[in-house]
Amino acid sequence: MGENQTSSRKLDHIRICVEEDVESEYTGLEDVMLLHNSLPELDLADIITEVRFLGSKLSAPLLIASMTGGHPDTKDINRNLAMAVEETGIGMGVGSQRAAIEDKSLEDTFSIVREHAGNAFIYANIGIPQIIKHGVEYAEKAVEMIDADALAIHLNYMQEVVQPEGDVYARNGYSAIENVVKEIKVPVIVKETGGGISNRVARKLRNCGVEAVDVGGAGGTSWTAVEFYRTKDDIGKRIAIDFWDWGIPTSFSIIECAEILPVIATGGLRSGLDVAKCIALGAEIGSSALPFLHAAMRSSDEVVKEINYFIKGLKVAMFLTGSRRVKDLRDCRIVVSGKLKEYIEVTGIDVVKFCESRNKGGFL
Amino acid sequence: MGENQTSSRKLDHIRICVEEDVESEYTGLEDVMLLHNSLPELDLADIITEVRFLGSKLSAPLLIASMTGGHPDTKDINRNLAMAVEETGIGMGVGSQRAAIEDKSLEDTFSIVREHAGNAFIYANIGIPQIIKHGVEYAEKAVEMIDADALAIHLNYMQEVVQPEGDVYARNGYSAIENVVKEIKVPVIVKETGGGISNRVARKLRNCGVEAVDVGGAGGTSWTAVEFYRTKDDIGKRIAIDFWDWGIPTSFSIIECAEILPVIATGGLRSGLDVAKCIALGAEIGSSALPFLHAAMRSSDEVVKEINYFIKGLKVAMFLTGSRRVKDLRDCRIVVSGKLKEYIEVTGIDVVKFCESRNKGGFL
Amino acid sequence: MGENQTSSRKLDHIRICVEEDVESEYTGLEDVMLLHNSLPELDLADIITEVRFLGSKLSAPLLIASMTGGHPDTKDINRNLAMAVEETGIGMGVGSQRAAIEDKSLEDTFSIVREHAGNAFIYANIGIPQIIKHGVEYAEKAVEMIDADALAIHLNYMQEVVQPEGDVYARNGYSAIENVVKEIKVPVIVKETGGGISNRVARKLRNCGVEAVDVGGAGGTSWTAVEFYRTKDDIGKRIAIDFWDWGIPTSFSIIECAEILPVIATGGLRSGLDVAKCIALGAEIGSSALPFLHAAMRSSDEVVKEINYFIKGLKVAMFLTGSRRVKDLRDCRIVVSGKLKEYIEVTGIDVVKFCESRNKGGFL
Amino acid sequence: MGENQTSSRKLDHIRICVEEDVESEYTGLEDVMLLHNSLPELDLADIITEVRFLGSKLSAPLLIASMTGGHPDTKDINRNLAMAVEETGIGMGVGSQRAAIEDKSLEDTFSIVREHAGNAFIYANIGIPQIIKHGVEYAEKAVEMIDADALAIHLNYMQEVVQPEGDVYARNGYSAIENVVKEIKVPVIVKETGGGISNRVARKLRNCGVEAVDVGGAGGTSWTAVEFYRTKDDIGKRIAIDFWDWGIPTSFSIIECAEILPVIATGGLRSGLDVAKCIALGAEIGSSALPFLHAAMRSSDEVVKEINYFIKGLKVAMFLTGSRRVKDLRDCRIVVSGKLKEYIEVTGIDVVKFCESRNKGGFL
Ligand SMILES: Cc1cc2nc3c(=O)[nH]c(=O)nc-3n(C[C@H](O)[C@H](O)[C@H](O)COP(=O)(O)O)c2cc1C
Ligand SMILES: Cc1cc2nc3c(=O)[nH]c(=O)nc-3n(C[C@H](O)[C@H](O)[C@H](O)COP(=O)(O)O)c2cc1C
Ligand SMILES: Cc1cc2nc3c(=O)[nH]c(=O)nc-3n(C[C@H](O)[C@H](O)[C@H](O)COP(=O)(O)O)c2cc1C
Ligand SMILES: Cc1cc2nc3c(=O)[nH]c(=O)nc-3n(C[C@H](O)[C@H](O)[C@H](O)COP(=O)(O)O)c2cc1C
């Protein structure tokens, strides 16, 4: 597949994500209730949202998830994201850097991020198929291009397999990741993009030396949905519909991975309350893509506003659960119901202990 | 924040509560079935709805929950409520007295209650932020102003935190309450206003010497909903929507607190059947605000009618469960289902024993 | 209350039942699946629907439930029911005979039943308030009037209590029933009319010598619904709505009573499949009112048709579960779900054993 | 019943199936989630969909379920199905051959299948009533007529019993099957047609020497639904509605039978994802009728397209669960919820173990 294709597909994706309904329905966060603490023993001003993550400091446990770059028209989006991230002290990822690795003329659509976010936590991004094919070379180029603090290798077979031109080879994935981990100087995150990461996969990734997972669970932007709009093929469309909601919902995936590796929660987080719920379930950080795309297409101010909305919601949830620090959310009692409770039961987790606290561990 | 603001906000609140949809959806009472007793072994005339509560006698286990006063236009409302309460022998609370404590000219909007309800159980009302700031002084003034039988300190951080001008300090809350309990002559009730009270909070309040809790659970008037209509700020509106249904549903909160302290159940009670269900779950008294506001804006007769509707429904439920006295409802078998059953399960309560009776205790 | 009132109220009831929506929603039968037997080892012709009940033979386990008589205009209805019952070999009850006991001129509206159903199983009907007030006298008169094979004493406090003119005394109910059982020559059935009978009540009735219960569970005709249409009083209407769905659903009530006394299942049975489900749950007989009222207002042929529809459905269910005799349905495996499964769980019944068979007993 | 009737009824059925809504609602497959494997350790090209079934090789675990033949107008349908099956390497069944056994002039509507599918796995089809009546004779004729690789005896009492002219004798069914198994040279499959097969029935069939069951569960084409459209009789129509959804849902039935005999899953499979779910639950093969009827009425190319759609979906599911071979799907973790979870619980299956793997066995 030529670079032009990779690059122009990027634009397609953005247009579809902005114009069409591309979300799947269930994150499981709707089945989580954080238990209200009516007399929290702290002032709102006491709340500390700062966290450390992979050696960096974030003003709040929030990342803008990998989205774009790789086509000239995406440069402004990345600039707006970067400016806002720098201003608010959170972090962000860039979209897959493959196009720019293969065509240097596109590099500035990524490097603009570091230009406008000199201090922020920025992570590079490259797909697992490229890592399998090109190994450490691509990984290093991606990191260098934006002077990244970490590298995210994304797993997106769900999308590849419904894409007519998809890269549908996954063999040797773990050893390829292991190699990158050994050679590269920054921490490696492995990141799903809508399918979620299971306990078994998380264990294998830990054994490869991966330092965090971004669960990328079902419930938010669905890449089979995006491909539904792109494909012209009749069978392709029907397959895309059948697999629209495929994947481990974000809430399930957090529980699957929380005791294995530090977890970034992505997939359908649409508010600071969602971030708080993810952290209460066991994640370290919440992350979101789609809402920030909408904002970034307007201005960096809009992105700042969206970030502030997320942080405000997180703070409200922390205040109303009496959580001074972010990790205190994990000691907050929760009530799970519906499908999430069913998942916990069939997985053999002790639901009573789980609801009491996710800090004591040993629930999986 | 100046008094004028407190006072005029009161009117805003009333207007919004009367004109807009301000309720949240789930009390959990819809998931409670009182088991029908087809041959009750008593006559309807045998039923005794009278109860004693904090040393006072009530003709029925029903209180009109704290609502208003503090603005000249609310005086009529309080008069209508007071006349009806006196006539029917139940009790009532007044709204937060802060405005009148800070501006004596507003006192009559509260004292009118005792004027028209010389014998009724009346409780004073002041917010926890004022107690933290002004301690016993405000508490005593509130009680004196209406010659109250008890004082309710309300917890409303859910509202404060979504209010731009909110009092978002909660530190030293328990010690402030403990001080008031020690100094003041009347019993102290701690009262939520839509967020519900958890087991942990109830235990701490008991340790402070508090004599009863009013659970103020989710499912009725939602103060984040009210603030949604008030705020002009875009982020504020989105936060208010996200937290619209926040809080421990009334039914859950009753179960959380029933073995710790005497419970007044508020939050979404809309009928005598609801009151009966709350008592069956473990509450001593049911209480409601919104339906009585509608009535009080018309006349005291309308309030009486509403009270009679509640008492009639309670009596029917008592008759059809064979409950001669109010507390017999707690021995009535119940069937719980849906989300309430899920909550009971994840909390580690023995659901079979719980459904059999809530009088034997030890279920939490 | 005068006789005229009793009599004219009868007409009101019939009109409302025919013209308005008077049913409550949930019988729980929708949550029962009879396990299909794809190779049943019998021919449809082998199926024996005959049963013996209280010493009488019925061509099928089906009774038309007590409905009417007591007003001149109801005579035709009772005649049509009687002719159809006689023709098809099932049984029926008459409506409350109070009006005719108190006004002999109305007797023929009941006695017409025995006239046209010389051999059928017919049961008399009188309300518990009358039994408490008038004892054996009314019971004997009711039985004599139609040469009844059994007497049903109905419990209908749910209706009485929402009726402005209702008989709301229930004290001494059990001893009154016990007296009737001792004095009267026919077996005594106790019958609910929409509220369902609990295990505790069934035990007490057994101790009084009662020979069967008709559970009259929630899910079919709701008498609070009927009173909703009758009452002009505002509070009355609201109470009727609140209690519209009150009562133990038919399926729950069958399970409550099946190990205590022979059970007639009434309340929302609308097909032979419903009858089969009730029997599978533990009932001896299914019974229904409302669908037969519609038919009887047209002709006895329409009633025969409706009976045949019920019997055909029962036979199909028996065939497809491989049940040669009616009681074999109780050995048929079932799957319960939804609210019915929840009820079984909270009641402490072993749901696995219960689903395997209801014949082995000991599940309550 | 004469042959003409059998033959013309066939056309009725096809017309109704194509024009009307004949499906029942719940297969239970909607309550199965295959756990996503985000890094599958294989390439899409590594996936092997080939399976062996009853001694034959299939390119994928997919059969077109028995549908038609027996009326001159059905010949084209069978030809189109046969050509597509031959081209794609899967297998198919023919519809009931009774009409052609009783009227030789109709034989070509069946034999055309073998003509156009010289190498494919083809199974003959005859109803249990004919086997009971005519024994091995009909069975042998059916197999010979199409040179079948296997014989399916279908159980369809659900349909027969709602059909006015139905064959409603089932006595001696097992011994009749046992006889056929002994005498006939090809393997015998017993096949339901919408009612599902229970564990008890599967055990008995295994004892008769049957080599596989086709569960024909509820959730797809409903034959009571089809008869609803055919019958003119009022009671017949009501019975058909009552029993429209009767039967063991496909997913339940697979679980019932999977440890007893090799399972073909039919009933509401509408995609390759459905096939994958059935196999994950324990089936060997997925099979479907209705979607292929629609295609076959157009052309063999349309049937090929539909087959390819199914196989593509299966492959995607295999890839995304990391299943190299079809049977690996049974080791894939699943999450069950809703009614399917409830069924598993009431059946006494250990739901945690079941979700972990269906290969280890011993769960029933
Ligand atoms: C327009 C767009 C482009 C994306 N591109 C990438 C990408 O290149 N690399 C990647 O790892 N994830 C990519 N993602 C996935 C996101 O990082 C994220 O995992 C996913 O969208 C779920 O989060 P959401 O529901 O908040 O959108 C993209 C998402 C969007 C909306
Ligand atoms: C108009 C209005 C004003 C209120 N003001 C107060 C108040 O000043 N102090 C207080 O403790 N609760 C206040 N409440 C809360 C009520 O006491 C009660 O806890 C809450 O409304 C839930 O009950 P409901 O669903 O029956 O309305 C107010 C409620 C309403 C509707
Ligand atoms: C019009 C009508 C009149 C009834 N009258 C009586 C009655 O007099 N005595 C009685 O025991 N039940 C009476 N019932 C109750 C029925 O016997 C039965 O318990 C109830 O209707 C539930 O069954 P269904 O849902 O099939 O109608 C009456 C029901 C109807 C519809
Ligand atoms: C038009 C049509 C005709 C059928 N005829 C037969 C038949 O003759 N013999 C048989 O065993 N099953 C027959 N079936 C049942 C199917 O084999 C299958 O079990 C059932 O349709 C469920 O699958 P589906 O939901 O994919 O349609 C027929 C189905 C259809 C749609």
Side-chain angles (χ1 to χ4, degrees), chain B residues 171-201:
Chain B
R171 235 194 290 147
N172 303 324
Y174 288 107
S175 59
I177 291 172
E178 200 168 5
N179 276 342
V180 170
V181 167
K182 275 195 194 125
E183 301 293 329
I184 212 144
K185 273 157 284 176
V186 296
V188 172
I189 301 164
V190 171
K191 170 178 186 307
E192 246 289 346
T193 53
I197 296 181
S198 71
N199 185 265
R200 216 175 284 179
V201 169

Side-chain angles (χ1 to χ4, degrees), chain D residues 32-91:
Chain D
V32 177
M33 180 180 88
L34 304 178
L35 204 83
H36 179 61
N37 182 340
S38 44
L39 189 42
E41 289 175 273
L42 49 76
D43 297 352
L44 187 62
D46 296 338
I47 286 174
I48 298 162
T49 58
E50 277 104 70
V51 292
R52 293 198 69 85
F53 188 66
L54 300 183
S56 296
K57 226 162 62 193
L58 298 169
S59 68
L62 183 62
L63 298 174
I64 297 180
S66 315
M67 273 190 287
T68 200
H71 185 283
D73 295 2
T74 64
K75 200 170 156 179
D76 282 2
I77 294 176
N78 266 342
R79 196 207 41 234
N80 289 341
L81 292 171
M83 285 172 67
V85 153
E86 185 75 9
E87 186 180 332
T88 56
I90 65 162

Side-chain angles (χ1 to χ4, degrees), chain A residues 33-46 270-273 305-306 308-309 312-313 316-317 319-321 324 331 333-338 341 345 351-352 355-356, chain B residues 128 155 157-158 161-162 168-174 177 192 195-201 204-205 234-235 238-239 242-243 246-249 252 256 339 342-343 345-348:
Chain A
M33 180 180 88
L34 303 178
L35 205 83
H36 179 62
N37 182 341
S38 43
L39 190 42
E41 290 174 273
L42 47 76
D43 296 352
L44 188 63
D46 296 336
R270 296 293 173 261
S271 66
L273 177 53
K305 208 176 146 188
E306 192 67 19
N308 286 338
Y309 160 64
K312 170 79 179 173
V316 170
F319 185 56
L320 296 180
T321 55
R324 187 178 310 264
D331 280 320
R333 263 177 69 199
I334 62 174
V335 173
V336 296
S337 57
K341 178 167 178 275
E345 286 168 354
V351 69
V352 174
C355 285
E356 185 59 35
Chain B
I128 182 75
L155 312 175
Y157 288 108
M158 206 173 135
V161 79
V162 297
V168 284
Y169 44 87
R171 235 194 290 147
N172 303 324
Y174 288 107
I177 291 172
E192 246 289 346
I197 296 181
S198 71
N199 185 265
R200 216 175 284 179
V201 169
K204 285 188 184 158
L205 292 172
D234 187 42
I235 289 185
R238 291 172 73 190
I239 295 283
D242 293 342
F243 287 84
W246 176 275
I248 309 174
F252 295 12
E256 291 277 313
K339 217 167 165 170
E342 293 182 312
Y343 153 76
E345 286 167 355
V346 307
T347 304

Side-chain angles (χ1 to χ4, degrees), chain B residues 266-325:
Chain B
T266 352
L269 279 69
R270 296 293 173 260
S271 66
L273 177 53
D274 283 346
V275 173
K277 286 179 178 182
C278 288
I279 291 170
L281 287 176
E284 301 276 319
I285 305 270
S287 173
S288 183
L290 200 57
F292 294 102
L293 178 60
H294 288 272
M297 292 187 73
R298 297 198 291 274
S299 69
S300 85
D301 277 359
E302 284 296 313
V303 181
V304 169
K305 207 174 147 189
E306 194 66 18
I307 293 169
N308 286 338
Y309 160 64
F310 269 73
I311 294 179
K312 170 77 179 176
L314 171 66
K315 270 192 181 168
V316 170
M318 287 176 72
F319 186 55
L320 296 180
T321 55
S323 306
R324 188 178 308 266
R325 292 174 178 278

Side-chain angles (χ1 to χ4, degrees), chain A residues 10 13-14 17 65-67 95-96 125 154 191-193 216 220-221 223 266-270 287-291 293:
Chain A
K10 269 283 155 197
H13 285 164
I14 284 173
C17 282
S66 315
M67 272 189 290
S96 171
N125 189 288
H154 70 253
K191 169 177 187 308
E192 245 290 348
T193 53
T221 308
W223 286 97
T266 353
L269 280 69
R270 296 293 173 261
S287 175
S288 182
L290 201 56
L293 177 61

Side-chain angles (χ1 to χ4, degrees), chain A residues 97-345:
Chain A
Q97 293 166 262
R98 176 187 177 185
I101 293 169
E102 293 174 355
D103 175 359
K104 281 210 167 250
S105 74
L106 296 165
E107 275 199 1
D108 62 334
T109 63
F110 291 101
S111 54
I112 189 157
V113 168
R114 183 51 86 198
E115 259 169 63
H116 288 85
N119 303 296
F121 175 78
I122 308 290
Y123 60 92
N125 189 288
I126 191 74
I128 182 76
Q130 277 64 54
I131 293 294
I132 292 174
K133 242 200 212 149
H134 305 283
V136 186
E137 183 204 333
Y138 270 44
E140 278 174 343
K141 282 188 178 153
V143 170
E144 248 165 66
M145 195 186 300
I146 59 167
D147 186 17
D149 300 296
L151 169 70
I153 300 173
H154 70 253
L155 312 175
N156 67 330
Y157 289 108
M158 205 173 135
Q159 178 186 13
E160 300 287 356
V161 78
V162 297
Q163 215 167 259
E165 70 279 18
D167 288 329
V168 285
Y169 44 87
R171 235 193 290 147
N172 303 323
Y174 287 106
S175 59
I177 290 172
E178 199 168 7
N179 275 343
V180 170
V181 168
K182 276 194 193 129
E183 301 292 329
I184 212 143
K185 273 156 285 177
V186 296
V188 172
I189 302 164
V190 170
K191 169 177 187 308
E192 245 290 348
T193 53
I197 296 181
S198 70
N199 185 266
R200 217 175 284 179
V201 169
R203 283 178 200 276
K204 286 188 184 159
L205 292 172
R206 186 182 55 188
N207 293 345
C208 296
V210 166
E211 294 195 32
V213 288
D214 178 329
V215 298
T221 308
S222 159
W223 286 97
T224 38
V226 174
E227 294 304 329
F228 166 79
Y229 297 103
R230 279 188 71 231
T231 189
K232 263 132 203 82
D233 174 51
D234 187 43
I235 289 186
K237 273 205 185 299
R238 291 171 72 189
I239 295 283
I241 290 173
D242 294 341
F243 287 84
W244 189 294
D245 292 319
W246 176 275
I248 309 174
T250 298
S251 61
F252 295 12
S253 186
I254 296 169
I255 302 174
E256 291 277 312
C257 299
E259 300 209 315
I260 313 302
L261 278 171
V263 165
I264 304 168
T266 353
L269 280 69
R270 296 293 173 261
S271 66
L273 177 53
D274 283 344
V275 173
K277 287 178 177 182
C278 288
I279 290 169
L281 287 176
E284 300 276 319
I285 306 271
S287 175
S288 182
L290 201 56
F292 295 102
L293 177 61
H294 289 271
M297 293 187 71
R298 297 199 292 271
S299 69
S300 86
D301 276 0
E302 285 296 313
V303 180
V304 169
K305 208 176 146 188
E306 192 67 19
I307 292 169
N308 286 338
Y309 160 64
F310 268 75
I311 293 179
K312 170 79 179 173
L314 170 67
K315 270 191 180 167
V316 170
M318 287 176 70
F319 185 56
L320 296 180
T321 55
S323 306
R324 187 178 310 264
R325 293 175 176 277
V326 169
K327 70 173 167 39
D328 295 341
L329 282 164
R330 237 168 282 149
D331 280 320
C332 166
R333 263 177 69 199
I334 62 174
V335 173
V336 296
S337 57
K339 217 166 165 169
L340 178 58
K341 178 167 178 275
E342 294 183 312
Y343 153 75
I344 289 177
E345 286 168 354

